Amino acid sequence: VITYNIPTPPGEKKDVLSPLPDSYSPQYVEAAWYSWWEKQGFFKPEYGNVSEPNPRGVFMMCIPPPNVTGSLHLGHALTNAIQDCLTRWHRMRGETTLWNPGCDHAGIATQVVVEKKLMRERKMTRHDLGRGNFIQEVWKWKNEKGDRIYHQLKKLGSSLDWDRACFTMDDKLSYAVQEAFIRMHEEGVIYRSKRLVNWSCTLNSAISDIEVCSYLTNFDISIYTDVFKMKCFPADEEVVVATTRIETMLGDTAVAVHPNDSRYQHLKGKMVVHPFCDRKMPIVFDDFVDMNFGTGAVKITPAHDHNDYEVGERHKLPFINILDENGLLINVPPPFLGMKRFEARKAVLQALKDLGQFKEVKDNPMVVPVCSRSKDIVEPLLKPQWYVDCREMGKQAADVVRNGELKIIPDHHLKTWFNWMDNIRDWCISRQLWWGHRIPAYFVTVNDPSDVDGHYWVSGRSEEEAREKAAKRFNVTADKISLRQDEDVLDTWFSSGIFPFSIFGWPTEDLRVFYPGTLLETGHDILFFWVARMVMMGLKLTGKLPFKEVYLHAVVRDTHGRKMSKSLGNVIDPLDVITGISLEGLHAQLTDSNLDPLEIEKARQGQKSDYPSGIPECGTDALRFALCAYTSQGRDINLDVNRILGYRHFCNKLWNAVKFAMRTLGEGFVVSDRWILSRLSAAVALCDSGFQAYDFPAITTAIYNFWLYELCDIYLESVKPVLSRTDSEGQKQADICRQTLYTCLEVGLRLLSPLMPFVTEELFQRLPRRLAQDSTSSICVTPYPETSEVSRGQRSSEMAEIKYLFKFDSLKITSNTFSAPNHLVWHCVKNSFPPPTASHFNECNELSVSVNMPVSKSFSANQGLIDLEKEVTKLTAKKGELEKQMEKMNEKMAKNDYKEKVPVKVQEADAEKVKNGLK
């Protein structure tokens, strides 16, 4: 491991006069550059702008704000690799470029972290401290630990304007949240209603859908379907019903059957009697019942089941709540009163047996909703909450995509977008927490004898404003108004929904420069929880879309196609890929986690299988390049650490190429702009089209092929003999080679810079500048190559390249010599040049192949510039190795259990490898 040991104060430029180390080392290359970039202001939108507005345009993108409690994972790494790549590309194109950082207060996650810390260190709960003191503890924790993820983002090379970093609980953003709520509440878009919510008994709060995970469980509380009988009234018969939650039968208010079920047609208008009380419950006929499942009769508990709630609404059934916020039974007969919800399951079952109304138990593994934060089972609970009416906003969000105002990439997400927007439900925005934006609504009591109800809600920017509103509404003096602010806070997604404009000071500051933004780039898994809400709230509150395009990247999975999970041992910290970590180090991380002992052992075995020697040091540049290379639109990413290591070797190849070039160019080298290579021009064109289409594999492939196969493997090897010649004619040829080589290196590094910012900066700093007046201090603010730059003079220099570089005394050209896949013919056709023929070459005394094309075996070169037999031997060996790999792959896919045991994503990847010949 080679490290950079020259004392360099933070923000000062790294030493670029000392010789480059013999080999590439990420620790050496990545040292010192970031603090210098930041101090120089390269990441600020104001940098380099000499006119306003900028004729090249504005590029603005805000970061998906990571949780303040979070630490970097591969999902963050992928997001930031793509976003930084795009940001650097736009910046190098001369646009006014802003990538705005920020962090989310993460209401539930942060409160849980601080509560655990409080209990661990002081044996206290938040209730022991009280609300005010607990909030101070959270702020203290945030100030001490909350910037950790920012440091990790800098480690990834993310070129964010850190002076604009914002936190969703900052005063500016909090004011915007308050204003958004009040405006929407006064308009009636936000309202209060008593409905079923996802309730966590551990957190004592409603939670959003994204915080509910569904598991096919083996828990004793849910694996069985209990079948029991209810007596009809007044008929002398019984109805057999089945349930997976027998404890909730204490809140039953009906039995439902399908309208077409012939078994129950005679029971229309009849009722059943509740086994434990005199409650008579109607038999209702509803289409939601599956008459082919079980007995075709289901019990209805409107207050404790989402489907039953809708049945209850349709048939106007009573809603009986039998659970409190802690999961204890209420409003039930004495034997069950005060029981915990899962203890009541056994008690109710036994009571039915004692009455003789229990029939049987059937095995029935079921999907159970679990809170991702607290890990307890989510309880549907009837609670008064604040809601956003999403019908009109959802229609608008669908319409802007249909009419092309907003573009979603890739477009296979459109179907899901329209399905969700066209069938959108109202959004529950209140949370029973202490940490977050407290809802600016006040409970009103009017101290007046003429007041009939006395309980209303008003919203206000202050208690005084709310009091004035209440007094005006009820036509009384302010002194007769009593107020109590709602204890709840807003859902974190509410503040995230206005993030694109709240960060610029909405509603008080001018948004014209950076709002609307240009692009939103994020994972498709939060398409509705964040993207949709930004679109809806942006249109509602500003009248404008928050961005013009949405690019959704895929989910990162392990090399086997499995979802990343701590219990599988396949969660990878990007910093471990960057710096490397031993197997023992990976095991130690598990010990510090919250996994139970059985999960830890399973994870250890997974780590041992996937990383028997640990993870090698790959560096930031290799990780970024690999993530972009993997990002095919519409496909999840099966990340193989070995492939990342391969891109570290690619960095080493760059390193050696530039070291060789520096020796070759020599001191006092003066750059000429005449020699621009056709393959470089093709790479520039491919990168430009790739960035425009968000086709990152096309970009990485074009750059990789140019540097590795065309420049290093062919051109550099080809010109070494030319550069070593000492005669006058040879010196002339060598000078041409140096000019061409410089152009390849300088333009090639600029092409690569958005993806690999560290190694390209290190190498760029060592190159001579093209023009004396070119004083660009960093590669990250040099112009990105354009095809016009590298193609001018290309046609006129084509034959000059051919004449000077390779001499042939005899050309035995046949009719097939220049057929595909001959690279020169391809190059000529691509650039509208007539393909060369035998007659063309026979007219020349000195002939050559284009400097960036592999030499065909049909050419017979003299002077020993290329050992054709050696090259053919290499290619033959490579072909043999590929054939062996293909044979192994076919054997793997032919196994009997291949389709059952191998994940579908891996099967698809294997099939593509076979189709493409393992390329």
Side-chain angles (χ1 to χ4, degrees):
V1 176
I2 304 170
T3 58
Y4 176 77
N5 297 318
I6 299 174
T8 306
E12 296 300 311
K13 188 173 182 179
K14 187 177 182 179
D15 174 65
V16 294
L17 298 178
S18 58
L20 287 172
D22 291 337
S23 61
Y24 167 75
S25 169
Q27 290 191 36
Y28 179 92
V29 168
E30 294 167 20
W33 284 122
Y34 195 93
S35 61
W36 179 67
W37 289 334
E38 194 176 353
K39 185 177 180 180
Q40 292 297 309
F42 296 145
F43 303 160
K44 303 187 71 60
E46 298 84 3
Y47 182 85
N49 289 340
V50 294
S51 62
E52 186 65 41
N54 186 343
R56 285 188 170 265
V58 175
F59 175 79
M60 187 274 158
M61 178 172 60
C62 61
I63 194 173
N67 287 350
V68 69
T69 58
S71 61
L72 213 61
H73 55 68
L74 280 175
H76 287 124
L78 173 63
T79 299
N80 284 275
I82 293 173
Q83 291 184 4
D84 190 48
C85 182
L86 288 166
T87 301
R88 288 175 179 270
W89 178 64
H90 282 280
R91 185 181 294 121
M92 292 175 73
R93 283 163 55 91
E95 300 169 36
T96 299
T97 303
L98 171 61
W99 184 19
N100 206 110
C103 204
D104 193 277
H105 65 277
I108 292 177
T110 305
Q111 179 162 311
V112 168
V113 166
V114 177
E115 282 191 277
K116 287 183 177 179
K117 180 175 181 290
L118 195 63
M119 179 57 65
R120 183 175 60 251
E121 295 177 356
R122 297 160 62 179
K123 305 301 180 186
M124 296 177 71
T125 69
R126 61 186 167 108
H127 300 284
D128 294 329
L129 284 182
R131 185 168 189 148
N133 291 332
F134 178 75
I135 296 300
Q136 289 183 9
E137 287 292 320
V138 180
W139 275 110
K140 180 181 177 182
W141 179 90
K142 186 269 176 186
N143 294 331
E144 292 175 356
K145 306 289 186 180
D147 289 340
R148 175 180 55 177
I149 202 163
Y150 283 173
H151 297 305
Q152 293 174 315
L153 290 174
K154 291 179 180 182
K155 185 70 175 176
L156 272 174
S158 302
S159 58
L160 294 143
D161 182 2
W162 293 107
D163 288 341
R164 294 175 180 266
C166 53
F167 180 52
T168 51
M169 289 288 288
D170 288 345
D171 290 343
K172 179 172 69 175
L173 277 72
S174 294
Y175 181 80
V177 169
Q178 180 187 72
E179 187 70 18
F181 181 95
I182 293 170
R183 291 188 183 189
M184 294 170 74
H185 180 237
E186 290 180 342
E187 192 178 331
V189 177
I190 289 178
Y191 64 96
R192 191 168 174 84
S193 178
K194 188 175 184 179
R195 298 182 183 178
L196 278 187
V197 295
N198 298 313
W199 186 264
S200 167
C201 295
T202 300
L203 298 174
N204 274 357
S205 174
I207 59 175
S208 68
D209 291 340
I210 199 173
E211 288 152 339
V212 178
C213 303
S214 296
Y215 293 107
L216 184 63
T217 181
N218 290 323
F219 297 156
D220 289 340
I221 58 169
S222 57
I223 194 170
Y224 303 119
T225 294
D226 298 308
V227 184
F228 64 99
K229 297 175 287 186
M230 285 190 178
K231 295 180 179 180
C232 293
F233 178 86
D236 187 18
E237 59 181 296
E238 296 176 329
V239 176
V240 179
V241 298
T243 179
T244 54
R245 296 202 61 197
I246 200 166
E247 67 276 15
T248 64
M249 70 166 294
L250 296 167
D252 287 354
T253 58
V255 169
V257 297
H258 194 277
N260 298 331
D261 196 330
S262 59
R263 294 171 293 180
Y264 301 107
Q265 295 300 314
H266 65 291
L267 294 179
K268 284 184 178 179
K270 300 294 190 296
M271 307 186 85
V272 293
V273 181
H274 196 284
F276 303 130
C277 59
D278 293 331
R279 188 184 311 149
K280 294 179 177 62
M281 306 179 296
I283 297 173
V284 299
F285 290 75
D286 198 286
D287 290 338
F288 110 95
V289 179
D290 182 357
M291 59 183 175
N292 297 315
F293 182 78
T295 66
V298 295
K299 71 184 199 64
I300 302 299
T301 318
H304 294 283
D305 183 273
H306 292 288
N307 290 324
D308 292 4
Y309 177 88
E310 294 179 0
V311 175
E313 288 281 296
R314 286 194 291 270
H315 296 278
K316 296 182 170 31
L317 299 174
F319 286 69
I320 301 175
N321 181 28
I322 63 164
L323 289 171
D324 68 7
E325 296 174 349
N326 298 303
L328 302 177
L329 267 65
I330 57 175
N331 302 323
V332 295
F336 312 109
L337 189 63
M339 284 187 178
K340 294 180 179 179
R341 52 182 169 158
F342 300 129
E343 290 179 357
R345 168 181 286 271
K346 299 176 182 178
V348 170
L349 190 62
Q350 184 59 50
L352 283 171
K353 291 179 179 179
D354 294 342
L355 290 173
Q357 291 187 236
F358 176 76
K359 186 174 181 181
E360 61 182 331
V361 175
K362 292 183 177 180
D363 289 341
N364 183 32
M366 62 175 289
V367 174
V368 173
V370 174
C371 175
S372 63
R373 304 294 182 184
S374 63
K375 307 306 179 186
D376 69 329
I377 293 177
V378 173
E379 191 68 51
L381 204 60
L382 204 58
K383 298 284 291 183
Q385 302 286 302
W386 292 98
Y387 288 87
V388 175
D389 184 344
C390 295
R391 289 172 297 177
E392 183 58 32
M393 292 194 295
K395 181 180 181 301
Q396 284 185 303
D399 288 344
V400 292
V401 175
R402 283 194 173 99
N403 63 28
E405 292 180 61
L406 177 64
K407 187 176 182 181
I408 296 178
I409 307 168
D411 59 9
H412 67 256
H413 292 293
L414 291 178
K415 182 179 180 181
T416 314
W417 176 270
F418 292 133
N419 182 58
W420 197 76
M421 287 299 182
D422 293 341
N423 300 282
I424 195 167
R425 296 185 179 186
D426 289 358
W427 169 23
C428 175
I429 57 171
S430 46
R431 300 290 179 266
Q432 289 63 51
L433 306 171
W434 286 357
W435 172 244
H437 296 105
R438 191 168 177 182
I439 293 176
Y442 297 81
F443 186 70
V444 181
T445 301
V446 182
N447 299 322
D448 188 87
S450 62
D451 174 39
V452 178
D453 189 342
H455 302 293
Y456 299 89
W457 290 93
V458 295
S459 58
R461 294 162 186 83
S462 65
E463 185 171 330
E464 290 72 21
E465 180 182 336
R467 190 181 306 279
E468 290 175 5
K469 285 183 179 180
K472 184 176 181 181
R473 177 185 299 179
F474 299 111
N475 197 26
V476 297
T477 57
D479 61 313
K480 292 185 177 181
I481 296 294
S482 297
L483 296 178
R484 176 177 56 82
Q485 186 175 358
D486 195 335
E487 295 288 332
D488 294 352
V489 299
L490 287 164
D491 178 14
T492 301
W493 295 106
F494 189 90
S495 52
S496 297
I498 65 171
F499 191 75
F501 48 95
S502 66
I503 58 177
F504 298 121
W506 178 89
T508 59
E509 297 181 25
D510 188 357
L511 307 182
R512 283 180 295 176
V513 178
F514 294 116
Y515 185 86
T518 311
L519 171 72
L520 177 78
E521 194 285 331
T522 189
H524 68 74
D525 52 331
I526 56 173
L527 177 61
F528 306 123
F529 299 106
W530 188 44
V531 182
R533 285 163 179 167
M534 283 189 289
V535 172
M536 291 192 298
M537 296 183 76
L539 289 170
K540 182 66 182 177
L541 294 169
T542 72
K544 298 177 182 178
L545 281 168
F547 28 74
K548 301 165 190 172
E549 291 184 324
V550 177
Y551 174 67
L552 301 167
H553 65 248
V555 173
V556 182
R557 299 180 180 272
D558 70 7
T559 186
H560 308 294
R562 301 174 303 180
K563 189 175 180 179
M564 296 289 187
S565 167
K566 290 182 180 179
S567 62
L568 292 176
N570 61 357
V571 172
I572 304 173
D573 184 337
L575 298 187
D576 291 339
V577 179
I578 292 171
T579 61
I581 188 172
S582 66
L583 180 60
E584 292 72 23
L586 291 171
H587 288 345
Q589 291 176 350
L590 294 175
T591 305
D592 296 334
S593 69
N594 293 323
L595 297 176
D596 63 47
L598 289 177
E599 287 181 316
I600 289 177
E601 183 54 35
K602 180 181 178 182
R604 284 170 61 91
Q605 293 304 316
Q607 290 177 340
K608 186 176 181 180
S609 174
D610 287 344
Y611 315 112
S613 301
I615 298 175
E617 179 194 37
C618 296
T620 299
D621 288 320
L623 174 61
R624 289 168 56 113
F625 197 89
L627 289 169
C628 289
Y630 267 100
T631 311
S632 296
Q633 293 183 13
R635 293 184 55 188
D636 286 350
I637 297 170
N638 298 345
L639 192 63
D640 185 351
V641 172
N642 288 327
R643 186 167 171 185
I644 302 174
L645 185 61
Y647 291 122
R648 180 199 161 138
H649 299 327
F650 173 56
C651 291
N652 196 58
K653 197 79 171 180
L654 296 177
W655 191 266
N656 292 335
V658 174
K659 281 178 64 70
F660 168 78
M662 294 300 294
R663 292 195 302 268
T664 300
L665 297 178
E667 294 184 10
F669 172 74
V670 178
V671 180
S672 167
D673 202 29
R674 294 169 55 199
W675 304 103
I676 306 298
L677 304 179
S678 60
R679 300 307 301 134
L680 181 57
S681 177
V684 171
L686 287 170
C687 287
D688 181 68
S689 61
F691 272 115
Q692 297 287 355
Y694 305 110
D695 188 351
F696 296 96
I699 301 167
T700 56
T701 299
I703 293 173
Y704 189 86
N705 287 348
F706 170 73
W707 273 97
L708 195 63
Y709 299 134
E710 294 166 349
L711 181 62
C712 294
D713 287 359
I714 297 169
Y715 182 63
L716 288 183
E717 294 301 319
S718 302
V719 300
K720 283 178 181 178
V722 178
L723 295 171
S724 66
R725 293 176 61 179
T726 57
D727 58 282
S728 59
E729 182 66 16
Q731 288 293 313
K732 185 177 181 181
Q733 296 176 19
D735 182 58
I736 294 172
C737 289
R738 291 188 185 95
Q739 300 292 342
T740 305
L741 176 58
Y742 177 86
T743 299
C744 286
L745 297 177
E746 198 268 348
V747 176
L749 287 174
R750 285 190 282 136
L751 271 184
L752 184 56
S753 178
L755 291 97
M756 290 184 163
F758 291 103
V759 69
T760 52
E761 184 75 87
E762 186 75 40
L763 297 174
F764 176 81
Q765 293 291 338
R766 314 286 177 147
L767 289 180
R769 293 295 182 261
R770 183 176 294 279
L771 300 172
Q773 66 269 27
D774 185 359
S775 59
T776 305
S777 54
S778 170
I779 194 172
C780 70
V781 287
T782 57
Y784 197 77
E786 297 180 358
T787 51
S788 58
E789 172 190 352
V790 294
S791 62
R792 59 178 177 266
Q794 178 179 311
R795 182 64 185 98
S796 62
S797 66
E798 189 77 22
M799 289 309 296
E801 293 179 38
I802 292 175
K803 286 183 179 181
Y804 280 119
L805 298 177
F806 297 98
K807 293 185 178 181
F808 295 86
D809 59 1
S810 174
L811 285 175
K812 299 178 181 178
I813 300 174
T814 68
S815 60
N816 294 323
T817 298
F818 293 101
S819 62
N822 184 283
H823 285 57
L824 185 54
V825 171
W826 178 88
H827 159 67
C828 291
V829 171
K830 183 176 178 63
N831 292 280
S832 301
F833 303 151
T837 65
S839 61
H840 290 150
F841 283 90
N842 285 334
E843 294 172 0
C844 300
N845 294 322
E846 297 175 326
L847 304 171
S848 85
V849 188
S850 178
V851 293
N852 51 10
M853 90 174 203
V855 179
S856 171
K857 188 178 178 183
S858 60
F859 291 123
S860 57
N862 60 4
Q863 299 194 23
L865 298 182
I866 296 178
D867 188 338
L868 293 177
E869 292 186 2
K870 183 178 180 181
E871 295 301 317
V872 171
T873 301
K874 286 182 181 178
L875 292 172
T876 302
K878 186 175 182 180
K879 178 184 177 184
E881 181 61 31
L882 286 173
E883 288 174 345
K884 289 181 182 178
Q885 292 180 30
M886 184 73 77
E887 185 178 345
K888 289 182 179 179
M889 181 65 72
N890 286 327
E891 289 177 358
K892 170 187 172 183
M893 296 174 67
K895 291 182 178 179
N896 294 332
D897 58 353
Y898 175 78
K899 290 189 176 182
E900 289 73 26
K901 291 188 176 181
V902 177
V904 174
K905 294 290 184 182
V906 178
Q907 293 184 39
E908 292 174 355
D910 289 347
E912 185 170 341
K913 288 179 182 178
V914 172
K915 178 181 177 182
N916 296 327
L918 288 173
K919 290 180 182 180

